[in-house]
Amino acid sequence: MLKVVVLISGGGSNLKALLDAAADSAYPAQIVAVGSDTDAGGLDYARERDIPTFIVRPRDYADRAAWGAGFAAAIREFAPDLVVSAGLMRVLPAEFVREFSPHLINTHPALLPLYPGAHAVRDALAAGATETGVTVHIIDEGVDTGPVLRSRSLKILDGESEEELHERIKQIERPLLVETVRDIATGELTLTPSHAAD
Ligand code: GRF
């Protein structure tokens, strides 16, 4: 059974999808803890299932590197096989990435390498794109630059707002993340720093 720590900053619908999948005993991964940089609403999904949660706030640390070390220490307590950033809205410091990568993955609401960063959905719309999607990738020391594991695309509809598009992206993102974690757990996907997409 693959032990997974999930990191979030917001509503946690991707986290909920993972928790729901893992509630099935046939699913080969177990969510052992959920961590955040803030009092994220999505932490309630873990609390209501009696899964441990932790919050490590940047304001309690002198700088980003110190925060990263604190976050890493909290995660280490749970000895995870995999760390999943599912809506963590903070760039992880290099030392943190070196400790957990390549067993450290992220889900991003665009078809990387297009539209990296915190405003991927807005940026795709602003660029006049007709297609976008979601990418699950290994986190490396760059921002949304790590090796791609899986991606899925969708057409952008005429006149669609950022919120509407993001919600439609999330509808394909949740199952993609659940499938990717499953495939890592079964060995169908192997995490190596130079991973080539299958
Ligand atoms: C997801 O689209 C994720 O890719 C992005 O933020 C969103 C988080 O959604 N970074 P939720 O909190 O899982 O609902």
Side-chain angles (χ1 to χ4, degrees):
M1 187 67 86
L2 190 87
K3 289 164 64 183
V4 179
V5 169
V6 183
L7 308 178
I8 65 168
S9 295
S13 69
N14 282 282
L15 165 68
K16 181 176 184 298
L18 284 169
L19 291 168
D20 288 347
D24 181 343
S25 59
Y27 192 73
Q30 180 193 4
I31 314 304
V32 294
V34 179
S36 183
D37 58 327
T38 184
D39 193 10
L43 290 172
D44 284 344
Y45 291 127
R47 293 183 184 120
E48 64 201 22
R49 290 164 172 83
D50 292 327
I51 291 170
T53 62
F54 55 90
I55 300 174
V56 181
R57 292 184 170 84
R59 67 163 184 250
D60 294 334
Y61 292 84
D63 56 29
R64 228 167 62 79
W67 168 74
F71 211 22
I75 294 167
R76 217 179 288 133
E77 294 283 306
F78 298 95
D81 304 303
L82 179 71
V83 178
V84 178
S85 159
L88 179 76
M89 298 308 285
R90 206 166 278 278
V91 178
L92 294 163
E95 196 63 30
F96 182 105
V97 173
R98 278 197 287 273
E99 174 169 351
F100 296 104
S101 188
H103 307 282
L104 173 65
I105 68 171
N106 179 51
T107 177
H108 181 77
L111 290 177
L112 292 172
L114 292 175
Y115 317 119
H119 304 292
V121 181
R122 189 182 311 167
D123 293 346
L125 286 171
T130 55
E131 188 188 55
T132 189
V134 59
T135 307
V136 181
H137 66 97
I138 295 172
I139 297 180
D140 69 4
E141 290 180 32
V143 176
D144 301 323
T145 52
V148 171
L149 294 168
R150 292 276 161 81
S151 66
R152 207 163 276 172
S153 64
L154 92 178
K155 294 256 176 285
I156 298 177
L157 303 177
D158 276 349
E160 198 166 26
S161 70
E162 181 181 346
E163 292 67 31
E164 288 164 342
L165 177 56
H166 199 169
E167 188 45 46
R168 285 202 308 121
I169 290 172
K170 290 213 259 182
Q171 283 167 19
I172 59 172
E173 181 175 33
R174 296 171 196 127
L176 186 70
L177 184 61
V178 166
E179 287 163 30
T180 305
V181 171
R182 179 198 64 202
D183 290 347
I184 291 168
T186 61
E188 169 93 19
L189 265 175
T190 307
L191 301 179
T192 58
S194 57
H195 181 90
D198 60 343

